[in-house]
C-alpha cells in the first residue's frame, strides 16, 4: 500500500523514499512540511504534526476522492499526535485542536488559507472553558474556526461573518476586537453559526473528524483554484507537483498577556539589510498579524515583554539561516511563555533585496559566489534597471478611479508623460517643448522610431509582445504597453476613449510596462542607475568571471570552451556607449536602415530609390556616404577594441517611401480642389510607389537580393564602414569590423556579392595605407541557409542567427498576424507551450540552429556564431545558445545585464563534471564551511 502520510519524526523515512535528495523531499511533503520536519530533527520546538503528501493530492485530482488508505493513515497519524501531546481529538475534557495548512514544494500565493482550531465543537468549547477558566480565549478561538471553515472550506466568503461582527460591535459601542469581553465572544459564536447556516444551508459540523476531512479535501481542491493556476502559469511552476497538507497541533497565542503570535524574516526582505524584520501581537492568533486587524509591534520590542522567549527565538532563527544558507520567513507562537516555531521557509524578497542578500552572504562565506549568482534571477535584474511606480501609489490611483486600461506588458519600466498621437508631434514636443511625452498609436511602423525614441513611453491599442512597438521599445529600453484593446483611438479628433474616460492630446498618463497597466494622471517614479547599484555590479562581475572560465563548456567540433559572451544591438554611438557601460563586449547587430530614416537623410534615400539608372543611384548614395561614415566612426570609437557587426541594408525599399494610401488621398484631394502646383510630382511618386508593390514584402526584394539587384547601396555602405575603420585606426582606436550580409538563402548569393565587397575593403585599406582585421559573414534567417550551412560557411566567416525571421519562416507564421489572430489561442489550448517569438522553439527552430552550427564548423572549425534576434535577451533562449555552441548572444543594451546573468546561469547549469570538480577543489582549498540539509556542519581542509 502507498504511504500517503508522514509523521513529524519520520524525516529519515521521507529522505529514504526521496533517495537522499532534499529537493525530492520538498517535492513529496512540500516546502512547509520539509521545513517542519527538519526543524523537529534539529531539536527546534515544533508542535507535533503530520503531513499528507503531494502524491495524495495528485491522486485526489485524478479520482476526485481520497486515494485508498489515505484517510485511515491520517487517523492513525492523529493517534500518534494524541500520544505525543497527551491530548485527545474531540475530547471535551482534554481536547487536541489542530490547524490545517497547505504546503506545495514552492510557496505560492493563491493556495488555500490556513484553518485554525479544528476540533472545536460546542461540547469541546464547554470542556475547554472548565479546563482553562478562560472563556474569552475559548470562544475567540471557536468563532475563528467557524469563520475560517466557512469562508475557506465551504466558500461562503468572509463578508457574512465580518458583517455580523461589525454590527455587533456597533450595537455595543465597541471600536476594536480587544474591547470585546468573554460573553461577547460567546454571543458572536452563535451569530456566526447562524451566518454559516444561512450560506451553506446546514449547521456548522459538530463532528471534529468531519471538520478535518473537509479541510484536507479543501486543500487538495485549492491546488486547481484559479488564483493558484494563474500564479503557477506566471511563475512557470509545473501544474503536476500537487500540494501537501500539514495537520499541526495548535499552539495558542491568544491565551492572555503571556501569549503572542508573530511573523518574521531573518533579513529585511525589502532592502536586503542583515537585520531581523518582523511583527508580533500579544494575545492574538496568526492571521491577526497578516490581516492587519490590529497594529502589530516590531519584533525587537518583544525583548521587553518576553525576554526569555525573544532570546530563544533569535537564537533559533540565526541557526535556521545558517542551516539553510538563506533568509528565512518564520512564523511563531508563544503560548503561556513557551515558544513554538510553526514554519520556516525561504523568504520572498524584492529584486533589490535578492541582489544584496546574495552578495552579502557570499562575502560572509555563507554561500559561494556561484550560489550567489544562481540565486538572483534575470527578472530581478530586469526590475532593478527600469523606472518603477510605487505599489502604494498605483493602488491609490486605482482607488481614485484613475485606472484606464490594461494591455500586454511589452517593455518593463514606468513612464509618465503627455500623450501625443503621432511620431512627429511626440518628437517635437519632447525636443522643442521640453515635455515628457508618451506616444500613443493604434500600432507603430519603422518610420515612427524617432517619435518612440523621443518619448518616455509608448502605448498602442493593437499588437502583441513581439509587435514592432514592443520590439523597438525593448531595444531602446522604453516602457511600453501594447494591445490595450479597451482603448479607442481617434487620430482625427486627437483623443482616446475608454468607457466614460476621454483623454485628449497633451493630457498626462502613466504607463507601467512591467504590469501592462495604464493610468490617467501622474504617478511618481524613481529611476535606478546601474552605476549606483554596487551590489548588482559586483554580482554581474562574478557572473562574467564564471562565463569566462576555461572548460566551462565541452567543445564538440571546435566550438568554444568558455561560456557565452554578451554583445549588444546598437544602431547609434550613444547606444554603443550605453551597451559598454552595461557590460557588453561587442556589437552583434547595427541596423544601418535605421540611420536612413533620419529626417534629413530620408529625402536622399528616396531620391536614390526613384533613380532609374545606376549612375543616378550612385550620385544620391555619395551624398549619404559622409553621414554613414560618421555613424560607423562613432560606433568604432565607442567600442574601441571590441567587435562591431554591421548589417547591410535589409528591408524592402518601399518602407522608405511615403505611405501609399495617404499619398493617394492627397492626390485625389488636390485633383478635386483643382490644385495643379506639385500635382504632377506627387502623381509620379504615387506611380513609382505602386510599381514597388509586392504581395509579400517580407519574402520579396530585400536583404542580399536587394544587394544583388542594386549593388550600389551596399557598395557605398562597405566603403563607409572601411573608411571609418581606417580613420579610427589612424587615430589609435582598435577596430574589429564585421560585415553581415542579411537574408542569405543560397551560398551562390554570397559568391556573387561578397567578392565585390571584399575588393572595396581592400581598396580602402590600400588608399588609407592601413591594415586591420575584419570579417564578412551572414545572417541565418532562412531555413535553407541553415540546412546548407556547410556550403554557406565556405564564404561566411561568421553566422548570426536572425531568430525572428527564422521563426517566421520555419513556422510559416507572420509574426504580426499570429500575435493578433491566433497565437494566444494556441497557447491557451496547449498547441504551443510558449510564444516562439519570445523564446526559441528548441524542437524546431532550435534544431535548425544546432544543425547549422555543427555543419558550419565542419567547413570552418573556428566559425564565430551568435544570435542577434529578439531572443538574444531571453534567458531560456540564452541557455539554448550556450548548449548548442554559440560564441555570443546579442540583445538590446538595456537587456545586457540580464543576459550576462543568464549566460552565467547556463554555464553553471551545464558545466562538465571536470569543471565542477575544479571549482569544488578550489572551494575545499579555501576551507569553505557548508551545512548539509540535516544541519550537520562540514568543514574540509586541503
Amino acid at each position: 500500500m502507498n504511504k500517503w502520510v508522514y509523521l513529524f519524526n519520520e524525516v529519515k523515512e521521507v529522505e529514504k523514499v526521496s533517495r537522499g535528495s532534499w529537493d525530492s523531499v520538498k517535492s513529496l511533503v512540500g516546502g512547509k512540511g520539509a521545513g517542519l520536519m527538519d526543524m523537529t530533527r534539529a531539536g527546534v520546538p515544533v508542535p507535533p504534526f503530520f503531513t499528507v503528501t503531494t502524491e495524495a493530492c495528485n491522486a485526489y485530482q485524478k479520482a476526485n476522492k481520497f486515494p485508498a488508505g489515505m484517510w485511515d493513515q491520517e487517523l492513525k497519524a492523529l493517534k500518534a499526535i494524541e500520544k505525543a501531546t497527551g491530548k485527545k481529538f474531540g475530547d471535551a475534557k482534554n481536547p487536541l485542536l489542530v490547524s490545517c495548512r497547505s504546503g506545495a514544494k514552492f510557496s505560492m500565493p493563491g493556495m488555500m488559507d490556513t484553518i485554525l482550531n479544528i476540533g472545536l465543537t460546542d461540547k469541546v468549547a464547554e470542556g475547554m472553558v472548565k479546563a482553562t477558566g478562560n472563556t474569552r480565549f475559548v470562544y475567540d478561538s471557536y468563532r475563528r474556526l467557524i469563520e475560517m471553515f466557512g469562508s475557506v472550506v465551504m466558500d461562503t466568503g468572509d463578508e457574512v461573518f465580518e458583517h455580523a461582527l461589525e454590527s455587533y460591535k456597533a450595537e455595543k459601542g465597541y471600536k476594536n476586537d480587544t474591547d470585546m469581553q468573554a460573553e461577547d465572544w460567546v454571543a458572536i459564536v452563535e451569530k456566526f453559526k447562524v451566518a454559516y447556516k444561512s450560506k451553506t444551508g446546514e449547521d456548522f459540523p459538530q463532528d471534529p473528524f468531519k471538520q478535518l476531512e473537509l479541510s484536507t479535501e479543501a486543500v487538495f481542491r485549492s491546488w486547481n483554484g484559479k488564483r493558484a493556476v494563474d500564479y503557477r502559469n506566471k511563475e512557470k511552476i509545473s501544474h503536476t507537483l500537487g500540494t501537501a497538507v500539514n495537520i499541526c497541533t495548535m499552539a495558542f497565542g491568544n491565551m492572555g498577556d503571556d501569549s503572542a503570535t508573530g511573523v518574521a524574516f531573518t533579513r529585511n526582505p525589502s532592502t536586503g539589510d542583515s537585520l531581523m524584520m518582523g511583527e508580533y501581537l500579544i494575545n492574538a492568533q496568526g492571521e491577526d498579524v497578516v490581516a492587519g486587524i490590529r497594529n502589530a509591534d516590531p519584533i525587537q520590542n518583544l525583548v521587553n515583554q518576553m525576554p526569555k522567549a525573544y532570546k530563544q527565538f533569535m537564537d533559533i532563527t540565526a541557526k535556521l539561516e545558517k542551516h539553510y544558507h538563506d533568509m528565512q520567513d518564520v512564523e511563531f507562537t508563544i503560548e503561556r511563555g513557551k515558544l513554538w516555531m510553526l514554519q520556516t521557509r525561504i523568504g520572498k524578497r524584492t529584486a533589490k533585496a535578492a541582489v544584496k542578500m546574495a552578495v552579502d552572504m557570499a562575502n560572509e562565506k555563507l554561500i559561494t559566489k556561484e550560489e550567489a549568482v544562481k540565486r538572483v534571477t534575470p527578472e530581478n535584474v530586469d526590475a532593478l534597471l527600469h523606472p518603477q511606480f510605487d505599489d502604494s501609489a498605483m493602488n491609490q490611483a486605482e482607488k481614485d478611479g484613475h485606472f484606464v486600461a490594461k494591455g500586454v506588458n511589452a517593455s518593463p519600466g514606468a513612464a509618465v508623460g503627455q500623450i501625443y498621437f503621432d511620431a512627429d508631434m511626440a518628437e517635437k514636443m519632447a525636443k522643442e517643448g521640453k515635455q515628457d511625452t508618451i506616444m500613443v498609436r493604434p500600432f507603430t511602423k519603422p518610420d515612427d522610431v524617432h517619435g518612440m525614441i523621443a518619448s518616455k513611453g509608448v502605448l498602442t491599442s493593437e499588437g502583441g509582445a513581439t509587435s514592432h512597438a514592443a520590439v523597438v521599445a525593448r531595444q531602446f529600453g522604453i516602457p511600453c504597453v501594447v494591445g490595450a484593446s479597451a482603448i479607442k483611438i481617434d487620430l482625427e479628433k486627437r483623443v482616446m476613449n475608454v468607457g466614460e474616460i476621454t483623454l485628449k492630446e497633451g493630457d498626462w498618463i502613466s504607463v507601467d510596462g512591467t504590469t501592462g497597466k495604464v493610468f490617467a494622471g501622474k504617478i511618481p517614479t524613481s529611476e535606478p542607475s546601474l552605476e549606483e547599484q554596487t551590489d548588482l555590479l559586483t554580482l554581474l562581475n562574478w557572473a562574467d568571471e564564471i562565463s569566462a572560465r576555461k572548460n566551462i563548456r565541452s567543445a564538440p567540433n571546435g566550438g568554444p570552451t568558455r561560456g557565452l559572451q554578451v554583445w549588444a544591438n546598437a544602431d547609434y554611438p550613444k547606444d554603443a556607449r550605453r551597451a559598454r557601460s552595461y557590460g557588453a563586449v561587442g556589437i552583434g547587430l547595427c541596423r544601418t536602415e535605421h540611420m536612413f530614416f533620419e529626417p534629413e537623410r530620408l529625402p536622399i534615400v528616396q531620391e536614390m530609390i526613384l533613380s532609374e539608372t545606376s549612375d543616378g543611384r550612385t550620385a544620391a548614395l555619395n551624398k549619404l556616404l559622409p553621414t554613414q561614415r560618421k555613424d560607423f566612426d562613432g560606433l568604432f570609437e565607442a567600442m574601441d577594441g571590441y567587435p562591431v557587426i554591421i548589417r547591410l541594408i535589409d528591408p524592402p525599399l518601399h518602407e522608405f517611401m511615403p505611405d501609399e494610401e495617404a499619398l493617394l488621398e492627397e492626390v485625389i484631394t488636390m485633383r478635386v480642389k483643382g490644385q495643379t502646383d506639385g500635382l504632377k510630382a506627387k502623381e509620379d511618386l504615387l506611380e513609382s510607389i505602386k510599381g514597388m508593390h509586392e504581395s509579400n514584402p517580407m519574402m520579396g526584394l530585400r536583404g542580399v537580393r536587394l544587394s544583388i539587384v542594386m549593388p550600389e547601396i551596399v557598395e557605398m555602405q562597405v566603403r563607409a564602414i572601411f573608411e571609418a575603420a581606417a580613420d579610427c585606426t589612424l587615430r589609435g582606436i582598435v577596430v574589429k569590423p564585421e560585415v553581415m550580409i542579411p537574408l542569405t538563402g543560397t551560398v551562390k548569393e554570397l559568391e556573387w556579392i561578397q567578392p565585390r565587397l571584399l575588393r572595396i575593403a581592400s581598396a580602402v585599406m590600400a588608399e588609407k595605407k592601413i591594415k586591420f582585421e575584419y570579417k564578412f559573414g551572414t545572417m541565418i534567417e532562412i531555413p535553407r541557409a541553415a540546412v546548407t550551412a556547410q556550403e554557406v560557411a565556405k564564404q561566411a566567416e561568421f553566422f548570426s542567427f536572425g531568430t525572428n525571421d527564422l521563426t517566421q519562416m520555419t513556422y510559416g507564421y507572420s509574426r504580426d498576424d499570429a500575435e493578433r489572430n491566433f497565437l494566444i489561442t494556441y497557447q491557451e489550448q496547449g498547441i504551443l507551450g510558449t510564444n516562439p517569438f519570445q523564446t526559441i522553439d528548441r524542437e524546431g527552430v532550435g534544431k535548425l540552429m544546432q544543425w547549422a552550427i555543427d555543419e558550419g564548423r565542419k567547413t570552418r572549425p573556428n566559425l564565430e556564431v551568435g544570435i542577434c534576434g529578439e531572443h538574444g535577451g531571453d534567458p531560456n533562449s540564452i541557455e539554448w545558445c550556450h548548449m548548442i555552441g554559440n560564441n555570443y548572444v546579442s540583445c538590446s543594451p538595456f537587456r545586457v545585464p540580464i543576459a550576462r546573468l543568464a549566460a552565467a546561469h547556463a554555464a553553471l547549469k551545464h558545466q562538465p563534471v571536470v569543471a565542477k570538480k575544479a571549482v569544488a577543489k578550489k572551494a575545499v582549498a579555501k576551507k569553505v564551511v557548508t551545512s548539509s540539509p540535516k544541519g550537520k556542519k562540514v568543514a574540509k581542509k586541503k
Side-chain angles (χ1 to χ4, degrees):
M1 179 181 291
N2 288 328
K3 186 169 175 62
W4 305 111
V5 179
Y6 289 90
L7 280 168
F8 57 91
N9 55 4
E10 292 184 324
V11 64
K12 287 186 177 179
E13 189 173 345
V14 176
E15 286 181 325
K16 184 178 180 181
V17 172
S18 304
R19 299 182 180 179
S21 164
W22 196 247
D23 185 71
S24 297
V25 168
K26 291 196 292 183
S27 295
L28 181 62
V29 296
K32 195 186 298 280
L36 289 171
M37 287 181 177
D38 211 16
M39 286 195 294
T40 300
R41 173 168 54 187
V44 173
V46 175
F49 68 95
F50 64 82
T51 299
V52 186
T53 67
T54 59
E55 291 178 348
C57 174
N58 287 330
Y60 174 88
Q61 303 300 338
K62 291 178 181 178
N64 201 31
K65 62 180 182 179
F66 290 158
M70 190 207 86
W71 181 243
D72 289 339
Q73 292 179 31
E74 197 165 338
L75 295 177
K76 184 178 179 181
L78 195 61
K79 290 288 185 184
I81 290 182
E82 289 177 340
K83 184 176 180 181
T85 60
K87 299 178 180 180
K88 187 173 179 61
F89 192 63
D91 183 61
K93 295 181 180 179
N94 187 25
L96 168 68
L97 302 185
V98 297
S99 63
C100 178
R101 289 179 166 92
S102 64
K105 179 179 181 179
F106 303 108
S107 172
M108 56 183 75
M111 289 301 295
M112 196 195 82
D113 297 326
T114 298
I115 304 172
L116 304 178
N117 311 323
I118 294 170
L120 261 174
T121 63
D122 292 348
K123 289 184 178 179
V124 170
E126 291 171 7
M128 285 181 67
V129 170
K130 291 178 182 178
T132 64
N134 192 337
T135 304
R136 187 187 193 285
F137 151 68
V138 173
Y139 282 89
D140 177 33
S141 300
Y142 196 6
R143 64 95 185 181
R144 292 172 189 269
L145 169 63
I146 298 171
E147 179 175 1
M148 285 185 276
F149 190 89
S151 60
V152 175
V153 177
M154 305 303 292
D155 201 25
T156 63
D158 51 16
E159 294 84 0
V160 63
F161 302 107
E162 290 177 1
H163 178 72
L165 179 58
E166 292 304 316
S167 297
Y168 184 88
K169 286 185 342 188
E171 182 184 322
K172 291 286 187 176
Y174 298 149
K175 290 185 177 180
N176 302 307
D177 290 358
T178 50
D179 298 332
M180 302 273 284
Q181 304 301 310
E183 60 271 19
D184 295 316
W185 289 122
V186 174
I188 285 296
V189 165
E190 293 307 312
K191 288 183 177 293
F192 275 20
K193 286 182 190 176
V194 172
Y196 178 93
K197 188 170 184 177
S198 72
K199 285 291 185 178
T200 65
E202 55 190 50
D203 292 326
F204 180 77
Q206 295 298 306
D207 179 356
F209 293 94
K210 196 65 178 176
Q211 294 175 12
L212 182 61
E213 178 187 354
L214 293 175
S215 297
T216 302
E217 190 173 16
V219 174
F220 287 164
R221 287 200 312 270
S222 74
W223 176 252
N224 283 327
K226 186 178 185 304
R227 290 185 305 165
V229 171
D230 289 347
Y231 180 82
R232 292 198 297 273
N233 285 336
K234 181 178 180 295
E235 297 298 319
K236 297 179 181 177
I237 297 172
S238 171
H239 295 294
T240 63
L241 292 175
T243 181
V245 183
N246 298 287
I247 306 299
C248 188
T249 302
M250 281 298 306
F252 296 100
N254 59 336
M255 292 192 75
D257 290 340
D258 60 351
S259 301
T261 187
V263 177
F265 299 85
T266 56
R267 301 193 187 212
N268 190 307
S270 296
T271 65
D273 292 336
S274 185
L275 295 170
M276 173 74 71
M277 192 191 88
E279 295 178 319
Y280 72 98
L281 283 170
I282 297 292
N283 195 21
Q285 285 200 307
E287 80 276 8
D288 293 343
V289 178
V290 178
I293 296 170
R294 290 163 52 189
N295 292 326
D297 291 318
I299 192 70
Q300 288 76 11
N301 290 1
L302 188 62
V303 68
N304 301 318
Q305 293 171 295
M306 301 181 188
K308 184 178 178 181
Y310 176 77
K311 182 180 184 305
Q312 185 185 13
F313 172 77
M314 293 300 288
D315 288 344
I316 288 172
T317 52
K319 290 175 182 176
L320 287 173
E321 182 174 282
K322 288 181 180 178
H323 176 56
Y324 288 106
H325 305 277
D326 206 346
M327 182 262 282
Q328 295 298 292
D329 169 4
V330 299
E331 293 180 14
F332 66 94
T333 289
I334 300 169
E335 181 182 315
R336 290 179 173 174
K338 179 173 176 56
L339 173 69
W340 293 101
M341 299 299 294
L342 307 181
Q343 170 182 282
T344 190
R345 62 185 177 188
I346 306 301
K348 303 285 186 182
R349 63 207 72 183
T350 65
K352 179 181 178 181
V355 172
K356 179 169 176 56
M357 287 183 199
V359 172
D360 285 353
M361 288 180 183
N363 289 333
E364 294 164 14
K365 307 301 182 186
L366 188 63
I367 60 175
T368 63
K369 289 181 180 179
E370 290 78 12
E371 179 61 28
V373 167
K374 287 194 288 186
R375 284 216 181 146
V376 176
T377 68
E379 290 77 16
N380 291 149
V381 178
D382 197 14
L384 287 173
L385 295 179
H386 288 83
Q388 302 295 318
F389 288 127
D390 181 71
D391 286 341
S392 60
M394 280 206 297
N395 292 336
Q396 188 61 49
E398 290 203 43
K399 289 180 181 177
D400 294 341
H402 296 317
F403 174 74
V404 174
K406 185 173 183 180
V408 177
N409 49 335
S411 181
V416 179
Q418 293 172 266
I419 59 176
Y420 292 96
F421 294 103
D422 66 73
D424 292 336
M425 185 60 74
E427 182 184 49
K428 179 181 179 181
M429 300 310 294
K431 290 184 176 179
E432 298 177 15
K434 306 299 181 185
Q435 293 184 5
D436 290 339
T437 61
I438 303 288
M439 195 176 87
V440 179
R441 300 281 297 166
F443 54 88
T444 66
K445 299 184 297 182
D447 52 5
D448 290 323
V449 170
H450 62 289
M452 298 177 69
I453 293 172
S455 299
K456 295 293 183 182
V458 175
L459 170 64
T460 71
S461 57
E462 301 176 23
T466 55
S467 62
H468 176 268
V471 172
V472 174
R474 283 193 289 270
Q475 159 72 15
F476 292 105
I478 303 167
C480 177
V481 173
V482 300
S485 57
I487 296 174
K488 307 303 177 187
I489 299 171
D490 189 327
L491 293 177
E492 288 188 8
K493 294 182 179 179
R494 318 293 281 184
V495 297
M496 54 183 273
N497 300 289
V498 180
E500 297 180 358
I501 300 173
T502 298
L503 296 169
K504 62 183 184 299
E505 200 157 51
D507 286 347
W508 288 87
I509 63 170
S510 299
V511 174
D512 188 6
T514 304
T515 65
K517 292 182 178 181
V518 182
F519 298 88
K522 295 187 277 187
I523 298 178
T525 65
S526 59
E527 290 199 26
S529 167
L530 181 62
E531 291 75 14
E532 295 173 358
Q533 300 187 55
T534 55
D535 287 327
L536 179 57
L537 289 173
T538 297
L539 190 91
L540 291 175
N541 286 334
W542 292 348
D544 293 341
E545 290 169 8
I546 290 167
S547 295
R549 285 177 186 162
K550 291 182 179 179
N551 301 316
I552 197 76
R553 272 199 282 188
S554 57
N557 299 327
T561 61
R562 299 179 190 269
L564 288 166
Q565 290 187 339
V566 178
W567 298 10
N569 302 341
D571 302 333
Y572 302 98
K574 64 178 181 180
D575 300 324
R577 287 190 290 271
R578 182 183 291 116
R580 282 292 302 120
S581 71
Y582 281 9
V585 293
I587 298 299
L589 175 64
C590 169
R591 290 165 288 202
T592 52
E593 61 269 11
H594 278 190
M595 301 169 180
F596 289 172
F597 281 112
E598 295 286 338
E600 67 276 9
R601 302 181 192 183
L602 195 55
I604 303 173
V605 175
Q606 292 171 352
E607 177 189 340
M608 180 273 297
I609 293 170
L610 293 172
S611 178
E612 297 179 357
T613 67
S614 177
D615 289 343
R617 287 192 290 271
T618 301
L621 289 164
N622 284 340
K623 298 177 187 178
L624 287 174
L625 177 61
T627 55
Q628 280 267 278
R629 182 170 58 232
K630 183 179 178 182
D631 292 330
F632 300 141
D633 189 293
L635 280 173
F636 292 136
E637 185 174 9
M639 299 303 295
D640 187 2
Y642 294 100
V644 177
I645 295 180
I646 299 170
R647 183 180 72 185
L648 301 179
I649 188 168
D650 182 42
L653 294 180
H654 76 84
E655 289 195 8
F656 300 99
M657 303 303 289
D659 180 73
E660 183 179 343
E661 288 187 10
L663 184 59
L664 175 61
E665 186 176 330
E666 190 176 349
V667 167
I668 293 172
T669 301
M670 291 179 73
R671 288 172 178 169
V672 170
K673 292 183 176 181
Q675 298 174 348
T676 56
D677 187 22
L679 177 59
K680 179 66 166 60
K682 290 186 181 294
E683 289 175 335
D684 291 344
L685 177 59
L686 181 60
E687 287 304 310
S688 296
I689 293 173
K690 286 181 178 179
M692 296 177 195
H693 174 77
E694 293 181 294
S695 298
N696 191 341
M698 192 197 92
M699 302 180 76
L701 184 61
R702 54 173 287 222
V704 69
R705 305 159 201 158
L706 179 60
S707 300
I708 291 172
V709 173
M710 293 184 181
E712 301 91 350
I713 302 174
V714 292
E715 288 171 353
M716 179 277 291
Q717 290 188 309
V718 170
R719 175 164 284 278
I721 291 168
F722 280 82
E723 285 183 355
D727 292 344
C728 286
T729 302
L730 291 170
R731 299 202 307 270
I733 297 168
V734 178
V735 298
K736 295 182 178 181
E738 301 187 18
V739 180
M740 182 157 65
I741 300 169
L743 217 67
T744 297
T746 168
V747 71
K748 295 293 184 182
E749 292 168 321
L750 296 182
E751 290 174 354
W752 193 95
I753 192 66
Q754 192 164 310
R756 300 171 72 104
L757 304 180
L758 283 168
R759 286 196 292 270
I760 294 172
S762 299
V764 171
M765 287 193 288
E767 293 165 12
K768 298 283 187 177
K769 298 179 180 178
I770 194 77
K771 288 188 176 181
F772 46 83
E773 294 182 4
Y774 64 89
K775 292 179 182 177
F776 275 81
T778 191
M779 204 168 186
I780 304 293
E781 304 164 87
I782 296 176
R784 190 183 188 282
V787 173
T788 61
Q790 192 170 355
E791 291 296 312
V792 173
K794 291 177 180 178
Q795 291 291 324
E797 296 173 280
F798 67 87
F799 287 172
S800 178
F801 290 104
T803 46
N804 289 327
D805 275 356
L806 186 59
T807 300
Q808 290 191 103
M809 299 242 187
T810 302
Y811 270 98
Y813 294 168
S814 159
R815 181 182 67 196
D816 292 339
D817 293 332
E819 284 274 349
R820 182 171 61 250
N821 294 324
F822 63 86
L823 206 56
I824 293 175
T825 301
Y826 268 38
Q827 289 179 261
E828 290 174 347
Q829 298 301 320
I831 296 170
L832 291 176
T834 58
N835 184 335
F837 296 107
Q838 293 178 343
T839 299
I840 287 174
D841 157 41
R842 295 188 181 188
E843 296 303 310
V845 176
K847 287 290 176 64
L848 274 175
M849 294 169 65
Q850 188 172 24
W851 172 272
I853 293 171
D854 292 344
E855 291 295 297
R857 286 189 174 138
K858 288 179 182 178
T859 298
R860 195 183 294 271
N862 62 346
L863 181 71
E864 175 190 289
V865 179
I867 178 176
C868 61
E870 181 78 2
H871 300 91
D874 170 62
N876 184 285
S877 302
I878 290 169
E879 180 188 19
W880 180 248
C881 291
H882 174 95
M883 293 167 64
I884 63 177
N886 275 36
N887 297 83
Y888 69 88
V889 295
S890 186
C891 58
S892 158
F894 293 93
R895 293 194 70 82
V896 165
I898 298 165
R900 290 165 66 190
L901 182 67
H905 283 181
L908 289 169
K909 182 177 178 180
H910 297 284
Q911 62 182 316
V913 175
V914 63
K916 290 183 180 179
K917 287 182 177 178
V919 172
K921 187 176 181 181
K922 186 177 179 181
V924 169
K926 290 185 177 181
K927 194 181 178 181
V928 173
V929 178
T930 63
S931 296
S932 71
K934 298 181 181 181
K936 298 177 181 177
K937 287 191 174 179
V938 181
K940 294 185 178 181
K941 193 173 183 180
K942 185 176 180 180

